[in-house]
Amino acid sequence: MSAVIPTHNTPTLAIPTGLRQWIDSAIALTTPAAVHWCTGSAKEAKALTKALVEAKAFHPLPADRFPNSYLYRSNPNDVARTEHLTFVCTEKADDAGPNNVWMDPVAAHAKMDALFAGAMAGRTLYVVPYCMGPIDSPYSRCGIEITDSAYVVLNMRLMTRMGTAALERISRDPSCVKGLHSVGDVNPDRRFIMHFPEELAIKSFGSGYGGNALLGKKCHALRIASWQGRSEGWLAEHMLLLALESPSGETHYVAAAFPSACGKTNLAMLVPPDALPGWKVRTLGDDIAWLHPGPDGRLWAINPEAGYFGVAPGTNAKSNRNAFEMVKRDTLFTNVALTASGDPWWEGLGGTPSIDWQGQPYTPGNGPAAHPNSRFTVAAKNNPCYAAESDDPNGVPLSAIIFGGRRRSLAPLVFEALDWAHGVLIGASVASETTAAITGQVGVLRRDPMAMKPFCGYHFADYWRHWLNLGHTLTRPPKIFHVNWFRQNDAGQFLWPGFGDNLRVLKWITERVNGTAAAKDTPIGPMPTRAALDTTGLTLSEDALSELLTVDRAGWRAEAALLKADFAAYGERLPAALTHQLEALVHRLG
Ligand code: OXD
Ligand code: MN
């Protein structure tokens, strides 16, 4: 380490040489005023928080109602993931695939190193060791993020197993992901998020926004990990993970993939309706799951994260009672509004805002008071329905995988895949109307295979092949389903109540796994008979129910034609088995 750099706390642990050299060269390049190795301790978090409050970057919330909680306002130009500035830099452009924006790795390094040169002058460089997954799990993977943002450090502390325990693991196993991040001058013209999967490396410059800056999350646990998973025989997926316990005490583990802001966090923390007593949902994860074939022929899952970076708007005691409770302490809020008494506020909460997300007096004419992509960051253990299995090094065996999207028409409430390969087609067909989690137009239908369009670190055709191959290794694969909570009638009203009532669909799914629920065969896959879907205590018109459980053959034929055109973009790499699945669907549709 350069002698001129004051170091707060060099660790005593032996850091593998390659990593030490990488850290030294990052310090030499970015020329920080100080270097701090993060331990993850409460004392450290307190000191960083205090400094952010003093710098007016953190706004303390009323300590009696929101103890140890703070509001952070990001630069208004930096409020969401920026997919057009997110690159996958593989040696061969083809390996990144048409689903990614590609840049040559040599050019990308040169571009990024020029931006990073001197970028941390006058700032502290934080070395943030983290572990994705339980520290003692063979399925976990580590990383080190170098950042000049104390906000990032505090978020990483909530979102990952961060600090000394992770560094100890890294000192034993140096194969960790190297992430270099600087907020730079938060200039969108100088903002790039580059991934180098072949080097297990990330460089992110010019953004402090979660998905761009908390490198353990989308960058590592999805883009780089999906690449790692392919070479090592596992899957990194954009999936929530939940435990569903029936009144008889039987537990099924379910993973579910939905595009951003389709209610993953709400489903992961679902509160069962009063009409279905005895059912319980516990949360293992709300965003990412890593899936491994187990020695017993089942598919096992861990959640690599340790916290939630959830969308605040729409969260309330009805939509998500658990989230509503858990953010009342130890929470970092980003870009929410404030009430007159200084409490955090967002659309859907009730009451009135006083100060908007940019810190200005709220004027209704100026748009929403909280940014539509405003967030809360909170440790998973704050969740009243946290599943203790989240810390099991072996993970949990999956009974079912669910795919879903936000679609006002066509996709019925729920249908089942005929087998694993058909399930891969269903996953590859996921489409959803866009929301505020990314920059760009809201409400446009886009194809988002496996909800991984923004997150798969390699060519989608190779990814589907990997899914298909992995299925062959499973003798007891999970059943695969597709759901849609967002069907609307001609008047634009939702047909299905959603939220806690989604348990009714989960119940049918686990009963299908047990072989006890009835289904009718349809060209797109088995669907519940009316009697098999438990509607006890639900006020739902017969018309709504029949619309939710009907297959519009003409609409599906048009969908299959669109899908064929979308798949054509993946060229010759497209696995034949997937094409056969699509042909079989067209045949069944008649
Ligand atoms: C997220 C996203 O932030 O998917 O989880 O955009
Ligand atoms: Mn997500």
Side-chain angles (χ1 to χ4, degrees):
M1 191 170 297
S2 157
V4 294
I5 306 286
T7 301
H8 293 179
N9 60 341
T10 312
T12 48
L13 281 165
I15 310 298
T17 317
L19 279 176
R20 172 67 81 168
Q21 281 165 354
W22 166 69
I23 293 167
D24 286 350
S25 62
I27 293 169
L29 178 66
T30 58
T31 64
V35 174
H36 178 79
W37 288 72
C38 294
T39 63
S41 71
K43 189 169 160 224
E44 175 183 83
K46 215 168 157 188
L48 290 174
T49 303
K50 184 164 174 277
L52 285 169
V53 171
E54 279 164 11
K56 303 220 176 317
F58 263 16
H59 176 94
L61 296 169
D64 52 341
R65 294 186 298 283
F66 293 90
N68 192 29
S69 299
Y70 299 85
L71 163 64
Y72 173 83
R73 294 190 181 106
S74 76
N75 188 309
N77 78 30
D78 187 31
V79 291
R81 285 186 290 104
T82 43
E83 289 177 12
H84 58 297
L85 304 174
T86 300
F87 294 78
V88 169
C89 311
T90 44
E91 253 177 57
K92 294 191 202 122
D94 245 12
D95 289 343
N99 44 304
N100 282 302
V101 191
W102 176 82
M103 194 181 288
D104 169 66
V106 175
H109 277 302
K111 188 178 191 64
M112 295 307 278
D113 291 352
L115 292 170
F116 275 108
M120 298 191 191
R123 301 180 188 172
T124 297
L125 176 155
Y126 301 95
V127 182
V128 187
Y130 63 87
C131 181
M132 300 310 293
I135 293 276
D136 51 352
S137 168
Y139 305 125
S140 299
R141 295 288 182 275
C142 288
I144 293 185
E145 173 165 359
I146 291 178
T147 179
D148 55 6
S149 162
Y151 166 80
V152 165
V153 174
L154 290 168
N155 275 272
M156 286 291 284
R157 180 169 180 270
L158 294 170
M159 295 299 300
T160 70
R161 281 114 173 143
M162 183 274 259
T164 306
L167 195 60
E168 272 161 12
R169 185 173 159 145
I170 292 168
S171 71
R172 296 192 300 271
D173 170 14
S175 66
C176 85
V177 171
K178 300 189 277 292
L180 179 58
H181 167 255
S182 170
V183 287
D185 51 1
V186 205
N187 178 346
D189 296 334
R190 291 153 51 81
R191 177 173 300 156
F192 298 98
I193 299 94
M194 303 275 191
H195 302 76
F196 305 89
E198 286 141 340
E199 303 165 41
L200 300 187
I202 305 157
K203 289 184 178 175
S204 166
F205 191 90
S207 168
Y209 172 74
N212 296 335
L214 311 180
L215 299 187
K217 194 172 179 62
K218 305 297 191 182
C219 300
H220 176 163
L222 287 176
R223 296 193 192 96
I224 300 285
S226 59
W227 176 283
Q228 267 183 306
R230 181 185 41 165
S231 50
E232 297 172 7
W234 51 280
L235 290 164
E237 296 300 322
H238 191 203
M239 290 179 178
L240 67 88
L241 202 53
L242 61 81
L244 178 63
E245 196 181 312
S246 73
S248 67
E250 184 194 30
T251 297
H252 281 287
Y253 297 100
V254 177
F258 294 84
S260 304
C262 275
K264 284 221 309 288
T265 305
N266 293 348
L267 184 62
M269 298 174 194
L270 182 148
V271 178
D274 293 341
L276 297 183
W279 288 86
K280 287 187 200 123
V281 169
R282 288 175 291 113
T283 319
L284 284 104
D286 80 327
D287 196 38
I288 300 177
W290 286 356
L291 315 181
H292 303 259
D296 58 357
R298 290 189 288 179
L299 190 61
W300 290 70
I302 62 163
N303 170 17
E305 301 193 281
Y308 311 116
F309 182 64
V311 178
T315 306
N316 57 46
K318 179 166 180 290
S319 66
N320 192 335
R321 193 171 73 213
N322 290 311
F324 184 67
E325 288 307 320
M326 79 187 174
V327 300
K328 288 187 178 157
R329 63 191 163 91
D330 312 316
T331 301
L332 303 179
F333 293 94
T334 302
N335 293 338
V336 298
L338 292 175
T339 63
S341 48
D343 290 2
W345 191 93
W346 47 82
E347 276 66 21
L349 201 57
T352 2
S354 167
I355 305 286
D356 73 13
W357 65 277
Q358 299 194 61
Q360 302 304 318
Y362 171 63
T363 342
N366 281 356
H371 188 277
N373 193 33
S374 53
R375 299 278 176 151
F376 52 77
T377 319
V378 63
K381 286 192 173 144
N382 262 32
N383 179 359
C385 68
Y386 177 73
E389 301 94 308
S390 313
D391 293 309
D392 190 326
N394 292 317
V396 293
L398 290 183
S399 297
I401 290 178
I402 300 175
F403 292 110
R406 178 183 285 271
R407 298 198 63 161
R408 53 192 96 162
S409 58
L410 192 70
L413 180 63
V414 55
F415 61 97
E416 181 183 324
L418 298 167
D419 55 22
W420 180 269
H422 179 222
V424 175
L425 174 72
I426 290 175
S429 322
V430 166
S432 196
E433 286 139 22
T434 50
T435 67
I438 51 158
T439 7
Q441 223 184 329
V442 169
V444 179
L445 188 75
R446 78 167 189 174
R447 188 79 55 202
D448 193 348
M450 276 80 172
M452 283 287 279
K453 167 74 187 65
F455 307 122
C456 181
Y458 62 104
H459 198 300
F460 255 152
D462 296 345
Y463 168 73
W464 294 323
R465 186 182 308 282
H466 180 44
W467 259 86
L468 289 160
N469 289 343
L470 192 130
H472 296 311
T473 69
L474 303 172
T475 50
R476 296 157 71 192
K479 270 183 172 288
I480 299 181
F481 297 82
H482 186 281
V483 302
N484 178 19
W485 317 133
F486 301 96
R487 275 293 286 273
Q488 292 179 16
N489 62 16
D490 293 341
Q493 289 152 335
F494 288 110
L495 291 173
W496 179 248
F499 302 110
D501 286 307
N502 293 337
L503 182 92
R504 301 168 190 278
V505 174
L506 296 182
K507 175 172 181 270
W508 180 76
I509 285 174
T510 54
E511 287 166 354
R512 288 296 290 167
V513 170
N514 288 345
T516 56
K520 59 180 179 197
D521 287 331
T522 83
I524 60 171
M527 276 169 48
T529 56
R530 289 210 190 178
L533 187 70
D534 191 338
T535 52
T536 316
L538 189 66
T539 345
L540 197 66
S541 75
E542 273 305 303
D543 281 358
L545 198 56
S546 92
E547 212 171 327
L548 283 164
L549 296 178
T550 304
V551 176
D552 162 11
R553 279 180 183 249
W556 275 97
R557 277 195 291 267
E559 173 79 359
L562 284 177
L563 204 51
K564 190 171 172 195
D566 288 348
F567 281 171
Y570 297 97
E572 290 185 350
R573 289 200 187 206
L574 198 69
L578 200 64
T579 315
H580 293 156
Q581 283 298 328
L582 185 54
E583 284 163 1
L585 171 67
V586 172
H587 181 74
R588 291 195 301 272
L589 287 164

